[in-house]
Amino acid sequence: MSWILLIIGGLFEVGFTTCLGKAKETTGAEMYWWLAGFAVSLVLSMGLLMKATQQLPLGTAYAVWTGIGAVGTVLIGIFLFKEPATFWRLFFIITLIGSIIGLKAVAH
């Protein structure tokens, strides 16, 4: 169950970075809605990380959480914000995913 909470927390990390990016692109009331989404996603992400670390090693949980956030944020950047999808960016995303899987595999 802790791994599921950690994965969901990582997805909320992607949510708060996405909201931050969208808030940067907007103004007025729409910007404040994105900032509210940022705040809610941030609280949920941190809360789920905290809950997951009650059962998982802190270093492993944090590395997996940030890895999910990093991979998801790069993918959102490519697909939503039209950032470049170069060979090396994709190569290192794949190595990061492999590292996340490896950390899960060796965790107790």
Side-chain angles (χ1 to χ4, degrees), residues 58-81:
L58 179 62
T60 300
Y62 183 72
V64 170
W65 177 79
T66 57
I68 292 168
V71 169
T73 300
V74 169
L75 293 175
I76 291 293
I78 290 169
F79 293 114
L80 185 64
F81 296 110

Side-chain angles (χ1 to χ4, degrees), residues 20-78:
L20 193 59
K22 293 299 277 184
K24 187 174 78 170
E25 293 181 345
T26 59
T27 59
E30 185 179 0
M31 179 189 67
Y32 290 111
W33 282 110
W34 285 112
L35 290 174
F38 166 81
V40 169
S41 295
L42 180 66
V43 168
L44 289 171
S45 181
M46 295 289 176
L48 290 167
L49 173 63
M50 185 178 69
K51 185 71 174 162
T53 59
Q54 292 174 349
Q55 299 293 318
L56 300 172
L58 179 62
T60 300
Y62 183 72
V64 170
W65 177 79
T66 57
I68 292 168
V71 169
T73 300
V74 169
L75 293 175
I76 291 293
I78 290 169

